[in-house]
C-alpha cells in the first residue's frame, strides 16, 4: 500500500509537468500559425496587383490544406457574369489554366457561384451530389476528376453585404 501511495504521489507530481509541456506545444503551434499568417499578410500588403494577391492567397490555401486546386471568380460590373480572375489546377491540368483565366460565364439560378453569393454561406458539394446541379458543375467534376468542391462567397462586409465573387477550392478523386 505504501508503494502504491508513493507511485500515486509521483504520477500526480509529473502530471502537472506533462500538462505544462502539452500546453507549451499548443502555444508554440499557435505562435507558428500566427507568424505564418502575419508573414502572409505582409506579403499581400506589399503588392497592389489583384492577380498577384489572388495567386498568393490561393497558393497559401493549397499549401496549408488538402485542396489541390482553386478558382477565384468575380462578378463583372453589370453583375451579369462571373469572370475567372485566378486559377490553379493540379499538374495534369496546368496546360488548360490559361483557357479558364478571364473566362466569363453567366450568372444563373443554378450556377454554383450564384448560389454561394445568394446564400452568403460557404457550401460543400461532393461528387455524389453533383447530379442535380447545372451542366457546368457536372463537367467540372468530370473533367478535373473532382471529388469535392468548396465554394466560399467573397462578401465585402459580412453576410448582409454585397457579394463580389467566389473562391472555389477542390479536391480530386483518389
Amino acid at each position: 500500500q505504501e508503494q502504491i501511495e508513493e507511485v500515486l504521489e509521483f504520477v500526480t507530481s509529473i502530471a502537472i509537468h506533462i500538462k505544462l509541456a502539452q500546453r507549451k506545444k499548443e502555444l508554440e503551434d499557435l505562435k507558428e500559425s500566427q507568424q505564418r499568417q502575419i508573414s502572409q499578410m505582409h506579403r499581400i500588403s506589399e503588392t497592389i496587383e489583384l492577380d498577384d494577391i489572388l495567386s498568393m492567397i490561393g497558393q497559401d490555401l493549397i499549401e496549408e490544406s488538402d485542396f489541390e486546386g482553386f478558382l477565384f471568380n468575380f462578378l463583372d460590373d453589370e453583375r451579369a457574369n462571373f469572370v475567372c480572375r485566378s486559377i490553379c489546377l493540379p499538374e495534369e491540368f496546368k496546360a488548360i489554366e490559361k483557357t479558364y483565366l478571364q473566362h466569363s460565364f453567366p450568372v444563373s439560378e443554378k450556377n454554383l457561384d450564384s448560389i454561394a453569393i445568394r446564400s452568403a454561406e460557404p457550401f460543400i458539394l461532393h461528387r455524389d451530389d453533383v447530379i442535380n446541379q447545372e451542366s457546368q458543375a457536372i463537367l467540372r467534376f468530370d473533367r478535373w476528376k473532382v471529388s469535392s468542391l468548396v465554394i466560399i462567397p467573397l462578401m465585402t462586409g459580412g453576410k448582409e453585404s454585397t457579394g463580389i465573387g467566389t473562391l472555389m477550392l477542390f479536391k480530386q478523386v483518389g
Side-chain angles (χ1 to χ4, degrees), residues 10-154:
F10 173 72
V11 169
T12 302
S13 71
I14 65 166
I16 293 169
H17 296 290
I18 292 171
K19 184 66 176 170
L20 289 173
Q22 286 175 327
R23 183 72 180 136
K24 180 181 177 191
K25 174 72 172 127
E26 290 171 9
L27 290 173
E28 287 171 353
D29 290 347
L30 177 62
K31 180 181 175 185
E32 183 180 315
S33 172
Q34 289 173 338
Q35 286 174 332
R36 196 169 41 250
Q37 289 174 347
I38 290 168
S39 173
Q40 290 166 341
M41 293 305 293
H42 181 71
R43 283 183 313 143
I44 289 169
S45 69
E46 288 181 332
T47 184
I48 58 170
E49 295 297 323
L50 177 61
D51 295 338
D52 293 341
I53 291 170
L54 297 176
S55 181
M56 279 187 246
I57 292 169
Q59 290 301 328
D60 286 345
L61 288 169
I62 288 175
E63 289 172 14
E64 306 276 328
S65 70
D66 294 332
F67 294 108
E68 296 159 307
F70 70 84
L71 289 91
F72 278 99
N73 298 318
F74 287 92
L75 286 163
D76 62 13
D77 291 340
E78 294 80 31
R79 301 184 63 82
N81 296 290
F82 285 97
V83 179
C84 179
R85 289 294 306 266
S86 185
I87 182 171
C88 177
L89 296 175
E91 200 56 46
E92 66 184 296
F93 299 109
K94 284 285 183 205
I96 63 168
E97 280 183 353
K98 289 182 180 178
T99 304
Y100 287 92
L101 195 59
Q102 300 303 326
H103 175 71
S104 176
F105 53 96
V107 171
S108 70
E109 193 69 26
K110 290 184 86 175
N111 176 286
L112 299 178
D113 297 273
S114 299
I115 294 168
I117 294 283
R118 272 195 316 272
S119 70
E121 292 281 339
F123 69 91
I124 300 171
L125 192 62
H126 298 286
R127 190 168 197 79
D128 297 339
D129 305 327
V130 78
I131 197 71
N132 297 323
Q133 298 300 321
E134 62 158 355
S135 61
Q136 185 80 6
I138 295 168
L139 288 173
R140 189 176 293 137
F141 268 76
D142 287 341
R143 286 182 187 153
W144 299 346
K145 303 175 186 171
V146 172
S147 64
S148 58
L149 183 73
V150 177
I151 302 179
I152 303 167
L154 303 174

